[in-house]
């Protein structure tokens, strides 16, 4: 039980976010069948909300015959203050492939 204590549960995005997102995706023809979508994930509210919204859209779209792959990437800026490690088990529970890139952008 202690092992699962730190894992955050997936939350469906509220309709006030999901509905306009779905409308925009359809109106602007943003996602096609077979697409691969990569979300840049910092671990903050905005990027996690986008990931959750696209994950829910992926689930809904599958029943309509639209399938696409979803992944997440984090760029570690080379700061000791940033630790993306908690994202790894969380994304694994969501079934979202996680890619990690180290770039010393703070030094550049």
């Amino acid at each position: 039980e202690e092992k699962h204590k730190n894992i955050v549960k997936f939350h469906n995005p509220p309709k006030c976010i999901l509905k306009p997102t779905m409308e925009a995706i359809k109106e602007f023809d943003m996602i096609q069948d077979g697409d691969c979508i990569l979300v840049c994930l910092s671990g903050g509210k905005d990027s996690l909300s986008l990931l959750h919204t696209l994950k829910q859209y992926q689930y809904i779209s599958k029943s309509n015959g639209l399938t696409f792959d979803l992944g997440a990437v984090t760029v570690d800026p080379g700061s000791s203050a940033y630790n993306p490690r908690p994202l790894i088990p969380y994304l694994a529970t969501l079934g979202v492939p996680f890619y990690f890139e180290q770039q010393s952008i703070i030094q550049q």
Side-chain angles (χ1 to χ4, degrees):
E1 286 182 42
E2 195 67 30
K3 182 180 171 183
H4 298 295
K5 199 174 194 178
N6 294 330
I7 295 178
V8 180
K9 186 178 170 187
F10 177 79
H11 294 282
N12 290 330
K15 287 182 183 179
C16 65
I17 293 176
L18 183 61
K19 187 177 178 188
T21 302
M22 289 175 59
E23 289 171 355
I25 289 170
K26 290 175 186 174
E27 180 180 346
F28 296 104
D29 210 20
M30 293 178 173
I31 299 176
Q32 303 296 313
D33 191 47
D35 278 355
C36 298
I37 298 171
L38 195 59
V39 176
C40 190
L41 198 61
S42 67
K45 294 181 280 188
D46 295 340
S47 61
L48 282 170
S49 293
L50 176 60
L51 179 70
H52 281 229
T53 302
L54 288 174
K55 184 72 178 164
Q56 185 66 20
Y57 181 69
Q58 182 184 44
Y59 175 78
I60 292 168
S61 297
K62 192 181 291 187
S63 64
N64 295 326
L66 173 68
T67 58
F68 60 93
D69 293 326
L70 186 59
V73 62
T74 294
V75 177
D76 181 352
S79 167
S80 60
Y82 181 69
N83 179 14
R85 298 231 179 266
L87 294 171
I88 297 168
Y90 179 62
L91 292 169
T93 63
L94 294 182
V96 174
F98 181 58
Y99 304 94
F100 183 74
E101 178 71 28
Q102 289 182 306
Q103 293 285 331
S104 297
I105 56 177
I106 291 175
Q107 295 175 356
Q108 293 177 0

